[in-house]
Every structure is written in C-alpha cells, then in structure tokens.
C-alpha cells in the first residue's frame, strides 16, 4: 500500500497545481458569511441552465466569482483561482475511461494518425460508500466496480476500494419567515485524505476479424469472472475460512464460475487520494412543538418548545476537488505513475430530485515512476510522458426523495435520514490525449502544470478549443494540443439508481434563525448504480487543414461496434 511516506511529493504537486489560489488563504469572516448567503445562487447556477460544451472551461471562473465575491472578478479572470485547478476523482464519465488509467500507447490507424484507436461504448458502475463522523472527524470507505465495453471488442472489469479520513464542519441557518416550516439552508466543507487499492482485468481472449462477435464473447467471460469474484468474496466471510488451506467446497464452487479464458491482466495499483469538498443545501419541512406545559407547571407556560422536525431537501450543490495518485506495479502500465486532478460541480433541484446537473474537468498526467522518483530526489525537472484532458457535462431529471426526521431532547438532537430515486440524463464528454515523445513537448506540459509563465496565458484548454485555429497569444500547451492532440467528442445516455440512509446524533443550540452546534456521531450509507450507453454520432478532430482548423469527422473506430445491453 502506498502512503504519503512512500511517495511524499504528490501533495506538493497538488499544492502547486492549485497554484495561485492559495494566495487567498487568508479569507475574511465576511467572505465566508457571503458564501453562506449565496448558497442558493450556487445551486441555481449549477442546475438552472444548461451550459454549452464550449463554455465548460469558463465554469470554474464563474464559480470562483460566486464563491469569492469580495476578491473581485479580476482575480478569477486572470487565473489566480481559475487556472491550474482541474484535478476526482478520477471518476469522469466517458472519454478514455478514467483519463489516465488508459491502456498504453494505442495503435495508430493507417488512414489517419489523429483518429483514436477505440472508444468507450458502455459502462455499468456500482458504488457503495459508508461514511462515519465522530465530532469533526470523518472517515469513509467505498468500493467501486466498473464493467466497460470498448469498440475494439475488448471488455474491462475494474474494482477499486479506498478508505479516507479527514475533518468536516458546517453551518446552517433558518430561512426568515419559514422557520416554523423547517425551512433552512446549510453550507459545509470537508477535507479528506486517503489511500486504496484496485485491480483491472482485461478480457480480450476472443480475437477475430469481427469486433462485434469478440465483444459478445468477451463480455460473457467478464460477467462469469465477476460472478466468480462475488462468490469468492462470500467465502471469506464463512466461519473457519483459511486462504492458505486446501480449496474448500465454497472456493471450489466459486472457481467453477470462472470463464474458460481467464483475463489477461490483473494489475496491482497503489492509490492515494485527497478530496476537498464544499457543499450547500436548502430544505423545507415541518417542526413539532410542545405547548410548554407539563407536570406541576401545567398552569404555566414558558412558550412552545421544539421537539423535532421532518424536512426534505429541495436544492443541493457540491463542488469537489480530487487529487488521485496511481502507481501501477503490474500490468501493461507497470512502472508508471499517474496524477489525476478532477474538479466537479454538481447540483440537484426539486423536492423529488427532478433536475440534476454536473460539470467535470479532469487532467491526468503520466510519468515513468522510477524517473519521477529520481527527479524528486535530485530536485530536477520532471518529464511527463502522457497528458489527457477530459471535460464532461451531465443534465437530466427523474424522481426521488431525500429527507430527514429529527427529535430534540434539550440540546441533543437525533436525526434519521434517507431516500432514493432514479435519474435519466444525457452526458457530453470531450477528450484530448497527447503522447509526449520528446523533451520539448514534455517540458511544455510540465511548465503548464507548474503554472510557469504568464497566468493569463496559461488556462485549462478544452478539447473543443484545441480544434480551433490558435490565436496569436495562445499558450505553448494550446498550440501543442492543436498540432498533435487526439481530440474526440462522445455523447451518452445514462440511468442512475440510488438510495441513501443516515443516522446522526448532535449537540447544539438555536439562536434566532441560526443553529449552532456539531454532530457527536453520524453514519451514512449510500448505494449508486449507474449505466451509460453511447448515443449519437461520435466524432474526432482530424489533422489541421488549410487555414489551420481541425474539422470534426465521423469516428469510424468508435462506430464499428454496438454496445451490448447487460
């Protein structure tokens, strides 16, 4: 397992990546008060309108101006907050299936070297998360399983588990005129660091001249192998389980579920992850009150007392920055280390979760691990080998409910929450992939990652922008992406089913509209199952033509195979 002591430089890289944003670390109390006041504006900005794909790179600047109203718009526009900040979670939708976890340098099609070799056709993802909070300390554990179908007829099965610990705090306020109805707004912040491990199995044993037939056969093998993993996990919980002993009946039954052709890869990957999260929500409901009379004081009244409440969440918004470090120990990416920086903004509106929106920007950069470690030791410049930029936007609607019921016993409160629902959404993704095969290109990317040069000329490029003719003040990275990057666009339909359950015990007091206090103990369990399938006409940008523009054309390597329903 990789820890911070084994790889100390990744935190410094994350700090540098966020760059000039840290200059404003001395934000005043007035600014935080302003953040509380605009929480509903944040949610509305996330959900209320559909942002066109070509404005995706401006999203963070807009969020910056909302969340830093006292800093002025110039700081956001010049890059003090906006540039160098897209960092995940490593969980972007579509693109190359994770922006950096890829499959090595793909083959170059004979007809157009700018056409990517393959695309993600379909993905089934299940994620289970348990979060425990004790006072201000938060601990989480999650498992994510992905089954992915690719246009070249191969199938991958990924399973990643991670644990993290950190701190969290929140502030809430009643909405004037609606406090008797439980109307309230809440703003919270979380910082967590953690580690995990994972594996990816590649099913490509069925190879022929027919990718569609290969996909069907490889998918069947992957599904059998997934059944084997589930059965084998079940054996671990049996009494007397001993992995070193001879194979018992349970293990034999699990092994019988394996496919005839076992997967080619089962790589060992060390994962370290840091998450910074800010969220806000608005809820409405009803409060229960006593008449203030009881026992020997039945003839007197001290005024009504709050006994508890029932409320439902109608608006919520979350902004998350993730830094994931993946060190590949085995598999075809063995000896590589990848940094994945992801910035995500997500919101839900409506009592039944009727509208959802999400914007994601992700940057993944890969190095030779041994060379990177030596460069860190020598305090020498680094030499990245691959860069992937992925942006996605998701918008949809569906039914569901998330609510909370609480009871008060003096300053102690007990809250029980939960909900569930289903959402249908559309996902638009764009990806730019750059293989850095010489020192000049590698240095240009590393300078951009480090924030060197003029901040106003060092933005986060989008794949769409990279297809346009570079302007006279274009940065070296923008020119490099335009000249050499593999650029693609994909659209997906997605269905997400989820449920949530929580229990919290808190301590606090109410003063007018404000509730001050903290959670003594809390536990929350979330399950999410998401299926996405490619739609529309996938395109990629061919090489520069007369005038310099790169036209978007049909992506034949992506349309040759159709996804198989699972």
């Amino acid at each position: 397992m990789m820890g911070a002591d084994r790889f100390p430089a990744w935190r410094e890289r994350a700090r540098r990546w966020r760059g000039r944003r840290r200059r404003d670390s001395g934000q005043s109390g007035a600014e935080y008060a302003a953040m509380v006041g605009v929480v509903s504006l944040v949610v509305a900005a996330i959900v209320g309108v559909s942002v066109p794909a070509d404005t995706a790179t401006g999203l963070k600047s807009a969020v910056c101006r909302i969340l830093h109203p006292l800093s002025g718009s110039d700081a956001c526009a010049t890059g003090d907050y906006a540039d160098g900040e897209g960092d995940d979670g490593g969980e972007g939708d579509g693109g190359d299936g994770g922006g950096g976890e890829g499959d090595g340098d793909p083959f170059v099609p004979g007809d157009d070297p700018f056409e990517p070799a393959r695309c993600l056709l379909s993905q089934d993802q299940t994620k289970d998360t348990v979060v425990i909070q004790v006072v201000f300390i938060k601990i989480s554990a999650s498992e994510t399983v992905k089954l992915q179908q690719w246009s070249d007829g191969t199938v991958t099965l990924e399973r990643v588990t991670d644990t993290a610990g950190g701190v969290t705090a929140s502030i809430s306020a009643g909405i004037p005129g609606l406090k008797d109805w439980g109307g309230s707004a809440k703003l919270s912040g979380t910082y967590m660091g953690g580690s995990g491990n994972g594996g990816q199995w590649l099913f490509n044993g069925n190879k022929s001249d027919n990718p569609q037939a290969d996909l069907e056969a490889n998918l069947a093998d992957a599904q059998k192998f997934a059944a084997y993993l589930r059965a084998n996990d079940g054996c671990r919980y049996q009494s007397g389980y001993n992995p070193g002993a001879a194979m018992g009946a349970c293990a034999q039954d699990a092994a019988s579920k394996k496919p005839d052709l076992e997967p080619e890869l089962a790589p060992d990957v060390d994962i370290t992850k840091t998450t910074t999260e800010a969220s806000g929500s608005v809820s409405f409901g009803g409060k229960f009150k006593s008449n203030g009379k009881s026992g020997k004081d039945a003839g007197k009244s001290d005024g009504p007392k709050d006994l508890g409440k029932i409320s439902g969440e109608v608006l919520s918004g979350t902004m998350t920055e993730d830094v994931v470090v993946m060190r590949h120990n085995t598999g075809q990416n063995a000896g590589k280390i990848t940094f994945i920086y992801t910035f995500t903004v997500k919101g839900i509106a409506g009592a039944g979760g009727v509208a959802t929106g999400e914007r994601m920007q992700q940057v993944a950069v890969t190095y030779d691990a041994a060379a990177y470690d030596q460069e860190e030791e020598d305090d020498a410049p680094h030499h990245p080998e691959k860069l992937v930029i992925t942006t996605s936007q998701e918008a949809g609607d569906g039914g569901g409910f998330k609510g909370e019921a609480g009871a008060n016993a003096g300053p102690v409160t007990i809250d029980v929450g939960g909900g569930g629902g289903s959402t249908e959404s559309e996902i638009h993704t764009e990806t730019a992939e750059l293989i850095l095969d010489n020192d000049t290109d590698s240095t240009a990317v590393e300078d951009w990652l480090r924030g060197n040069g003029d901040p106003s000329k060092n933005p986060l490029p989008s794949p769409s922008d990279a297809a346009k003719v570079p302007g006279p003040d274009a940065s070296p990275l923008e020119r490099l992406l335009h000249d050499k990057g593999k650029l693609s666009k994909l659209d997906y339909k997605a269905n997400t089913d989820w449920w949530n359950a929580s229990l919290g015990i808190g301590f606090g007091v109410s003063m007018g509209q404000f509730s001050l206090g903290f959670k003594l103990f809390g536990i929350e369990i979330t399950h999410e199952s998401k299926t996405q399938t490619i739609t529309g006409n996938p395109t990629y940008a061919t090489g520069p033509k007369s005038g310099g523009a790169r036209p978007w054309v049909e992506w034949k390597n992506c349309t040759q195979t159709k996804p198989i329903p699972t």
Side-chain angles (χ1 to χ4, degrees):
M1 184 68 62
M2 182 185 71
D5 56 335
R6 179 175 166 186
F7 186 61
W10 69 272
R11 292 184 184 276
E12 173 64 13
R13 168 161 290 273
R15 184 190 67 79
R16 292 175 180 175
W17 171 257
R18 286 187 284 271
R20 284 157 297 279
R21 178 174 181 176
R22 293 296 179 259
R23 296 176 183 173
D24 195 59
S25 58
Q27 292 154 319
S28 66
E31 182 165 350
Y32 285 111
M35 290 174 66
V36 176
V38 300
V39 61
S40 60
L41 296 179
V42 175
V43 176
I46 298 169
V47 184
V49 295
S50 176
V51 179
D54 59 2
T55 66
T57 55
L59 176 66
K60 285 166 57 178
S61 179
V63 172
C64 169
R65 283 188 282 270
I66 293 174
L67 289 187
H68 299 274
L70 304 186
S71 300
S73 60
D74 290 343
C76 299
T78 59
D80 284 351
Y81 298 105
D83 89 293
E85 193 184 330
D87 52 32
D88 357 319
E91 294 181 9
D93 294 302
D96 69 347
E101 297 179 53
D103 306 308
D105 195 0
F107 73 87
V108 177
D111 55 345
D112 189 347
F114 287 93
E115 182 176 8
R118 65 175 192 170
C119 70
L120 179 66
L121 297 176
S122 176
Q123 175 174 283
D124 291 333
Q125 174 178 302
T126 301
K127 184 175 184 179
D128 293 286
T129 305
V130 178
V131 178
I132 297 176
Q133 182 177 335
V134 181
V135 193
F136 299 107
I137 305 300
K138 179 180 282 190
I139 302 169
S140 73
S142 68
E143 180 184 70
T144 302
V145 178
K146 295 180 184 178
L147 182 64
Q148 300 172 314
Q149 301 179 36
W150 299 88
S151 60
D152 61 354
T154 61
V155 176
T156 55
L157 176 65
E158 296 181 10
R159 184 167 65 170
V160 175
T161 59
D162 65 76
T163 58
V167 294
T168 184
S170 63
I171 183 173
S172 61
I175 299 176
L178 294 176
K179 66 175 184 176
D180 290 340
W181 293 91
S184 63
K186 180 180 181 181
L187 184 68
S188 62
T190 298
Y191 174 84
M192 300 187 75
S195 61
N197 56 68
Q200 182 188 78
W201 294 267
L202 173 63
F203 297 85
N204 64 348
N206 300 280
K207 300 178 181 179
S208 69
D209 295 331
N210 186 343
Q212 189 69 52
D214 294 342
L215 182 63
E216 294 178 3
N218 288 324
L219 178 60
D221 285 347
Q223 291 171 330
K224 291 179 181 178
F225 193 79
Y228 153 71
L229 291 176
R230 289 192 296 269
N232 193 56
D233 286 345
C235 295
R236 298 175 183 271
Y237 298 103
Q238 288 192 1
S239 176
Y241 173 75
N242 183 357
M247 183 178 292
C250 181
Q252 288 179 347
D253 181 66
S256 69
K257 302 181 186 300
K258 284 186 177 182
D260 294 334
L261 297 176
E262 292 200 22
E264 179 179 307
L265 300 175
D268 174 30
V269 183
D270 288 338
I271 302 171
T272 303
K273 179 178 181 180
T274 298
T275 299
T276 305
E277 177 183 293
S279 62
S281 63
V282 178
S283 63
F284 294 97
K287 289 187 175 182
F288 302 105
K289 296 186 177 183
S290 71
N291 59 12
K293 302 176 183 180
S294 62
K296 63 179 181 179
D297 296 324
K300 302 178 182 180
S301 175
D302 296 326
K305 296 181 180 180
D306 289 339
L307 298 179
K309 67 177 182 178
I310 295 178
S311 62
E313 191 174 273
V314 295
L315 292 172
S316 67
T318 303
M319 290 184 294
T320 307
E321 291 182 32
D322 282 321
V323 182
V324 176
V325 183
M326 305 184 69
R327 185 182 288 265
H328 299 262
N329 300 313
T330 60
Q332 59 187 27
N333 282 325
K336 304 296 182 183
I337 187 167
T338 299
F339 296 83
I340 305 174
Y341 310 91
T342 308
F343 179 84
T344 305
V345 183
K346 183 177 182 178
I348 300 174
V354 296
T356 65
E358 180 174 329
R359 305 288 183 269
M360 185 276 293
Q361 292 179 321
Q362 183 181 90
V363 173
V365 57
T366 300
Y367 301 84
D368 178 86
Y372 185 93
D373 291 342
Q374 188 62 51
E375 290 160 355
E376 281 291 314
E377 183 177 335
D378 298 340
D379 196 24
H382 297 300
H383 297 82
E385 298 181 345
K386 181 180 179 181
L387 174 73
V388 179
I389 296 175
T390 303
T391 66
S392 76
Q393 59 178 33
E394 180 174 357
D397 55 56
F401 178 79
K402 184 177 181 181
E404 184 177 79
N408 300 337
V412 177
T413 61
I414 299 176
D415 296 311
V416 178
S422 180
T423 302
E424 300 284 345
S425 58
E426 303 279 346
I427 304 173
H428 176 78
T429 68
E430 298 184 5
T431 299
E433 180 181 303
L434 195 57
I435 303 299
L436 307 171
D437 54 5
N438 62 77
D439 287 341
T440 300
D441 294 349
S442 183
T443 300
V445 169
E446 185 65 17
D447 285 345
W448 175 74
L449 289 168
R450 296 285 179 175
N452 297 336
D454 185 348
S456 64
K457 296 181 180 180
N458 192 27
L460 173 64
S462 75
S464 285
D465 289 339
K468 301 175 183 177
V469 180
D473 58 347
S475 69
L477 178 63
E478 289 174 309
R479 294 184 181 278
L480 185 58
L481 285 172
H482 172 270
D483 295 343
K484 298 183 178 181
K486 292 185 177 183
L487 314 175
S488 59
K489 293 182 181 181
L490 295 169
D491 292 290
Y492 297 88
K493 285 187 178 295
N495 173 264
T496 303
D497 296 315
W498 64 275
W499 60 262
N500 169 273
S502 63
L503 169 66
I505 301 174
F507 181 90
V509 294
S510 296
M511 297 184 298
Q513 298 293 340
F514 288 89
S515 299
L516 301 178
F518 54 89
K519 184 176 291 186
L520 295 171
F521 172 81
I523 182 170
E524 182 173 10
I525 302 172
T526 303
H527 172 87
E528 181 179 281
S529 179
K530 184 173 186 177
T531 300
Q532 67 181 62
T533 306
I534 197 168
T535 60
N537 300 310
T539 58
Y540 78 97
T542 189
K545 302 300 181 182
S546 177
R550 296 182 57 179
W552 294 93
V553 298
E554 179 188 0
W555 188 355
K556 296 179 181 178
N557 280 334
C558 187
T559 57
Q560 64 181 345
T561 312
K562 303 301 180 184
I564 301 171
T566 57

